[in-house]
Amino acid sequence: MSMSPVLSIAGLTKTYDSGLQALKKIDLEINRGEIFALLGPNGAGKTTLINIVCGIVRPSTGKVTVAGHDILRDFRATRQKIGLVPQELATNMFETVLTEMTYSRGLFGYPASPAHLEKVLRDLSLWEKRNDKIMTLSGGMKRRVMIAKALAHEPEVLFLDEPTAGVDVELRRDMWALVRRLREGGVTVILTTHYIEEAEEMADRIGVITKGELILVEDKATLLKKLGKKQLTLHLQEQLSAVPIELAEWKVQLSPSGYELIYVFDASAERKGISSLLQRMGDLGIVYKDLNTEQSSLEDIFVGLVHENRSGT
Amino acid sequence: MSALAFNRYGVWAIYRFELQRFARTLVQSLITPVISTSLYFVVFGAAIGSRMSDVGGVSYGAFIVPGLIMLTLFSESISNGSFGIYIQKFTGTIFEVLSAPVSFVEVVTAFVGAAATKSVILGLVILGTAKLFVPIEIQHPVWMLAFLFLTSSSFSLLGFILGLWAKGWEQLSIVPMLIVTPLTFLGGAFYSIDMLPKTWQTIALFNPVVYLISGFRWSFYGQADVDVVASLAATLAFFGLCLFTVAWIFRTGYRLKN
Ligand SMILES: Nc1ncnc2c1ncn2[C@@H]1O[C@H](COP(=O)(O)OP(=O)(O)O)[C@@H](O)[C@H]1O
Ligand SMILES: [Mg+2]
């Protein structure tokens, strides 16, 4: 697997005709074969970003390349490599599943390949429904059809715009499994979501976007390690009325009941902090009967980040 | 994989898709115009036509055939040309075409080609229907087909532009009704323009439809209101104007891309 980026975005901005600036100077590189989650609240600019790469929205400034090809100058080369499952369900309802897929594959410039279409349809549990009109399918099935259409031309890069918004648990699980299989097959997957658990579950790397700005791009593991806060709770034998002055340097907090001491620390901070805290407590004769730690989820990190960004600007 | 120079698979996919829709609605696509054309013949050809004198040696029933075909071509081409692209905008499925490796020229070729194909088929079906009612001779079949193709393509292009431009169903239907229908009725479909008063004859010469119908009728009976060269020039000019407009729309991404 080559490490040259499959998608490279430099200085990309977008101002809509309405005057609204949806993207403010985005720089981003996506590696071949990775699963990248673009995480951000509604209106952050996720769909705008994807639509620009796919050719649906025109960039205001900046340069975007896919596998080294410019999306404007070499639009044929780039678009043949890209598959898009849009946020909204939009397909011709009067056609059969197979007709729609055949149409999609042709549209993207490839000769017919019944074998490939069959593989995709089976992968998505749609094979039995191939001759059904799309309007007769359930909402979940229609979503699968959208994915099947996007995969009909064997894209190297797949965009999933809010793939699991309003989707039932089963389909969500299937979708995640499919994304992993695609990655194993060498496909790069870029998905947008405002569900943190989805990014946490799926992604290799995460970008956080808010108000048109990419405020962070990081390996998921690094992100969790770097920004994840851990919390140690000590359940005390005897009630305290205030935090002893000797424990001030750890900035511990006392729960309202007076029976718990809470120590918050960065995941990167060494154990030393904990052990010295416990030692000092022993010296003071504060006895605890139990202790437990909690790790913050991406959700906490995310809320913290967006909050920080809002108050910062 | 080599880069595409011309996405023929893409053009074919759209073209075939459009024709499939046509096939699905075959009954209303063909039967309606055929019935209404037949009614024209019953009323104008047989009932009134028998009391009308011949026009330039051609019986009135036969005289109106080319005009009637043109009338149908205009409205059907516009509606076929506009519907395909409009419905994609309306339902949002346009995203797929916009994100596909097809150029605007290819998109137009496919949509307009399909719409024009339907119109040509329809024109020939009406011609066949008319033949059941009145004797028809075609003196210049090649020219007849040329006018048929050019007119179908031009008005399908016009329809395509309308479909791109329209923001609602009302706009989609109002243009044919407000502009094309009057131009057609004033365009000499049912009469030779030298049957009009002098002033109206001069005014009629500013109506592009007069040239189209006249040229088409000439290919049948060898007689025309205006010189056939002028007719051909007008048809080509109209075609060129539509092409130019559509190219301009594409360059600006007008109403398709933000
Ligand atoms: N076609 C458009 N015209 C004007 N503004 C738009 C258009 N599409 C999106 N926007 C605005 O751009 C911002 C980003 O939207 P979008 O990219 O859809 O965000 P997200 O996908 O993250 O929810 C929003 O404020 C939205 O209202
Ligand atoms: Mg969105």
Side-chain angles (χ1 to χ4, degrees):
Chain A
M1 234 186 291
S2 114
M3 281 318 285
S4 70
V6 70
L7 170 64
S8 161
I9 298 172
L12 180 67
T13 68
K14 173 64 188 180
T15 306
Y16 281 109
D17 291 343
S18 63
L20 185 127
Q21 187 167 22
L23 295 178
K24 299 167 189 161
K25 206 154 183 318
I26 301 283
D27 296 290
L28 177 64
E29 296 205 328
I30 304 290
N31 302 317
R32 197 173 282 278
E34 74 174 331
I35 299 178
F36 187 89
L38 198 56
L39 189 58
N42 275 327
K46 304 182 295 292
T47 299
T48 302
L49 182 62
I50 285 191
N51 283 353
I52 288 175
V53 178
C54 294
I56 296 167
V57 169
R58 304 205 288 187
S60 299
T61 62
K63 186 174 169 69
V64 180
T65 61
V66 176
H69 299 281
D70 187 278
I71 56 157
L72 298 178
R73 219 183 37 241
D74 298 334
F75 74 96
R76 291 186 198 270
T78 64
R79 293 186 194 176
Q80 274 202 299
K81 296 183 201 306
I82 297 176
L84 166 66
V85 183
Q87 193 171 344
E88 311 288 339
L89 238 168
T91 178
N92 302 295
M93 294 293 166
F94 300 103
E95 298 296 334
T96 69
V97 174
L98 202 54
T99 315
E100 267 295 289
M101 277 188 81
T102 309
Y103 167 79
S104 293
R105 187 177 167 91
L107 196 60
F108 279 77
Y110 291 91
S113 169
H116 174 69
L117 298 195
E118 177 172 347
K119 184 180 163 296
V120 172
L121 285 171
R122 287 193 187 280
D123 243 13
L124 284 159
S125 319
L126 277 173
W127 181 244
E128 310 302 323
K129 307 263 182 203
R130 65 190 179 281
N131 292 320
D132 289 8
K133 282 199 174 144
I134 292 168
M135 63 182 171
T136 66
L137 302 178
S138 69
M141 281 293 174
K142 287 189 185 116
R143 270 203 182 265
R144 287 172 201 255
V145 173
M146 297 298 292
I147 301 175
K149 277 162 63 74
L151 293 174
H153 63 282
E154 303 163 68
E156 291 170 32
V157 182
L158 181 68
F159 286 95
L160 298 166
D161 198 356
E162 312 253 355
T164 54
V167 148
D168 61 31
V169 183
E170 188 198 358
L171 179 54
R172 187 177 298 199
R173 237 187 354 247
D174 280 6
M175 209 104 95
W176 290 351
L178 173 78
V179 166
R180 292 206 182 85
R181 280 202 303 278
L182 286 169
R183 200 241 319 250
E184 278 160 28
V187 177
T188 309
V189 180
I190 298 158
L191 58 93
T192 73
T193 181
H194 53 246
Y195 296 126
I196 287 128
E197 60 169 59
E198 192 156 65
E200 204 164 358
E201 171 83 26
M202 301 291 308
D204 300 316
R205 279 202 309 151
I206 291 171
V208 178
I209 185 171
T210 169
K211 292 190 178 159
E213 277 181 280
L214 203 52
I215 55 176
L216 172 129
V217 177
E218 196 76 79
D219 253 28
K220 181 176 64 185
T222 318
L223 184 66
L224 281 169
K225 212 176 331 156
K226 201 157 79 180
L227 293 168
K229 293 262 200 299
K230 283 192 175 179
Q231 178 175 312
L232 173 72
T233 309
L234 296 152
H235 303 272
L236 306 176
Q237 190 84 49
E238 281 164 27
Q239 193 176 21
L240 286 179
S241 55
V243 177
I245 191 83
E246 291 86 347
L247 300 182
E249 66 177 280
W250 287 272
K251 295 195 177 93
V252 294
Q253 288 178 328
L254 189 65
S255 69
S257 71
Y259 276 105
E260 279 124 34
L261 274 178
I262 297 153
Y263 171 47
V264 179
F265 58 101
D266 281 357
S268 55
E270 344 68 76
R271 302 265 154 214
K272 225 171 61 202
I274 300 176
S275 55
S276 58
L277 170 69
L278 295 181
Q279 197 170 359
R280 180 70 58 89
M281 282 172 63
D283 295 347
L284 293 171
I286 304 172
V287 185
Y288 60 90
K289 44 179 191 183
D290 198 4
L291 85 176
N292 64 290
T293 58
E294 276 167 39
Q295 184 165 4
S296 60
S297 68
L298 258 177
E299 174 126 26
D300 305 325
I301 298 173
F302 177 68
V303 169
L305 265 174
V306 172
H307 190 75
E308 220 170 80
N309 192 262
R310 285 221 174 108
S311 52
T313 47
Chain B
M1 184 187 62
S2 64
L4 295 165
F6 179 81
N7 185 352
R8 67 197 157 99
Y9 295 110
V11 172
W12 176 241
I14 298 176
Y15 182 83
R16 204 176 61 164
F17 178 84
E18 288 295 299
L19 285 188
Q20 266 164 0
R21 203 188 51 231
F22 180 51
R24 249 201 325 267
T25 54
L26 192 66
V27 174
Q28 76 212 61
S29 299
L30 282 181
I31 301 298
T32 316
V34 166
I35 289 179
S36 59
T37 313
S38 305
L39 287 176
Y40 270 115
F41 283 117
V42 173
V43 176
F44 288 104
I48 299 176
S50 58
R51 301 186 179 194
M52 304 278 282
S53 52
D54 289 359
V55 185
V58 180
S59 79
Y60 186 71
F63 175 83
I64 64 170
V65 171
L68 267 182
I69 294 175
M70 278 286 173
L71 203 84
T72 315
L73 281 192
F74 296 157
S75 61
E76 289 294 317
S77 299
I78 289 180
S79 82
N80 288 335
S82 61
F83 189 78
I85 187 78
Y86 181 77
I87 195 76
Q88 290 216 10
K89 282 202 311 182
F90 185 74
T91 59
T93 53
I94 187 88
F95 89 87
E96 203 177 10
V97 171
L98 293 180
S99 64
V102 282
S103 67
F104 190 53
V105 174
E106 288 158 358
V107 172
V108 173
T109 306
F111 274 106
V112 171
T117 304
K118 296 176 203 172
S119 298
V120 169
I121 292 171
L122 193 60
L124 294 174
V125 168
I126 293 175
L127 184 60
T129 312
K131 242 185 142 74
L132 301 175
F133 291 91
V134 287
I136 293 167
E137 52 166 334
I138 303 172
Q139 290 186 5
H140 311 283
V142 175
W143 283 104
M144 193 278 282
L145 286 174
F147 276 115
L148 195 65
F149 275 107
L150 268 176
T151 308
S152 297
S153 307
S154 306
F155 279 81
S156 296
L157 256 175
L158 185 64
F160 187 80
I161 293 167
L162 177 65
L164 278 180
W165 169 81
K167 276 186 179 154
W169 293 102
E170 321 78 53
Q171 291 183 338
L172 211 58
S173 54
I174 215 157
V175 169
M177 243 167 57
L178 237 53
I179 300 174
V180 180
T181 312
L183 280 184
T184 312
F185 277 92
L186 301 174
F190 301 110
Y191 49 85
S192 165
I193 60 167
D194 57 40
M195 294 154 87
L196 292 173
K198 254 279 154 307
T199 10
W200 281 98
Q201 277 186 38
T202 318
I203 292 170
L205 289 177
F206 289 98
N207 180 358
V209 170
V210 166
Y211 296 84
L212 303 185
I213 293 181
S214 166
F216 195 52
R217 189 181 290 129
W218 170 86
S219 70
F220 280 77
Y221 307 121
Q223 49 170 279
D225 291 338
V226 292
D227 193 338
V228 67
V229 178
S231 283
L232 189 64
T235 311
L236 286 172
F238 182 59
F239 187 61
L241 184 70
C242 291
L243 269 184
F244 179 81
T245 312
V246 98
W248 174 79
I249 288 174
F250 206 42
R251 255 206 344 272
T252 57
Y254 182 68
R255 287 202 184 178
L256 271 186
K257 290 192 189 192
N258 297 303

